[in-house]
Amino acid sequence: MQYQILQIAIENGIAVVTISREKALNALNRQTMDELRHFFSETASSIEGLKGVVLTGAGEKAFVAGADITEFQGLSPEQGQALAQRGQDLFFLIEKFSKPVVAAVNGFALGGGCELAMSCHLRIAGEKARFGQPEVNLGLIPGYGGTQRLIQYIGKTKATELLMTADMLGAEEALRLGLVNSVVPAGEEVGKAVELIEKIATKAPVAISKIIETVNAYFAEEVDGFAYEVAAFGQCCATEDFKEGAAAFVEKRKAAFTGK
Ligand code: CAA
């Protein structure tokens, strides 16, 4: 696929993906959603030695200001439902991606943009970042998982208030509520996200993918997370990295993980 909106820079095994529709505050139109889907289902998994993915928005103003509202006008109930389902499917794809995906939130993360950031495993906010679900201003509700993930991150009380009032959270409040992992000066979001992925990349890759799976299992209704953890623990024991990690500890040396 020839990407028209995503700018992808791969350096040292880390893919920095910039959503570049600056004039529309990087709003998620159909093309952007298609490119993100292609990136996570095809491109990312084929990048040799991939350590992780950073998602960010072009310019200084927005990460992503939501789904593209201009594409919403005249949607029938069936079309609206299909659009929300496609969005949710994409965001589950990101949430289930086997390598860490970190959102570097450089500005507005509203509606679908907040939902996109929440589907990433970790979130670094620049000090100018602002988070919110303003769909009720449009006569809508979030459709890409926002009503569910916002509660997962910040709890029912505050999430319900934000969903009903469309109020925005600043970076520091988002940190205090547990929506983001850290706040950095504006312009340092991507660098901090890369640093975080580099740190995670020093750990055993299969174990990291099992962390992603087991954390997701906690929130999956049909899955017993504790049982999932037991099985995943056993699977880790079958890896060469487990043998290497345990041996390195006993031999008082740094482990050399291979991802096998
Ligand atoms: N879709 C399409 N275009 C958008 C957009 C969006 N979500 N957000 C901003 N833009 C466009 C604006 O229309 C404007 O375009 P023009 O220059 O052609 O007029 C440009 O980006 C710059 O925006 P503003 O002039 O509005 O900038 P501002 O600084 O005055 O305000 C803002 C910034 C508060 C983010 C404001 O743009 C805004 O409220 N945007 C909409 C946010 C929103 O409602 N998001 C939710 C969308 S619905 C959704 O996401 C549903 C879902 O869950 C799937």
Side-chain angles (χ1 to χ4, degrees), residues 20-150:
S20 301
R21 292 188 75 216
E22 204 178 331
K23 282 190 180 146
L25 302 187
N26 307 317
L28 300 171
N29 62 358
R30 179 182 271 269
Q31 175 72 21
T32 311
M33 296 293 275
D34 287 347
E35 292 189 15
L36 281 169
R37 189 174 300 103
H38 189 272
F39 176 78
F40 281 100
S41 59
E42 310 268 340
T43 307
S45 34
S46 70
I47 299 170
E48 180 98 8
L50 183 73
K51 296 174 182 168
V53 178
V54 177
L55 272 186
T56 194
E60 293 176 4
K61 196 166 167 183
F63 170 70
V64 166
D68 192 313
I69 300 166
T70 62
E71 292 183 350
F72 278 18
Q73 281 172 308
L75 278 184
S76 69
E78 293 73 24
Q79 288 168 326
Q81 209 171 312
L83 177 130
Q85 188 64 61
R86 276 199 308 276
Q88 286 200 8
D89 291 348
L90 169 61
F91 289 9
F92 274 124
L93 185 67
I94 296 173
E95 191 170 58
K96 291 178 179 171
F97 193 66
S98 63
K99 302 278 165 62
V101 183
V102 183
V105 183
N106 50 313
F108 288 113
L110 302 177
C114 187
E115 293 169 299
L116 176 62
M118 291 194 292
S119 74
C120 296
H121 304 126
L122 300 162
R123 283 152 296 286
I124 306 297
E127 59 200 357
K128 289 195 287 190
R130 305 197 70 193
F131 298 83
Q133 297 288 162
E135 287 86 350
V136 290
N137 288 333
L138 303 168
L140 285 173
I141 65 166
Y144 297 167
T147 61
Q148 305 303 294
R149 289 196 181 91
L150 194 60

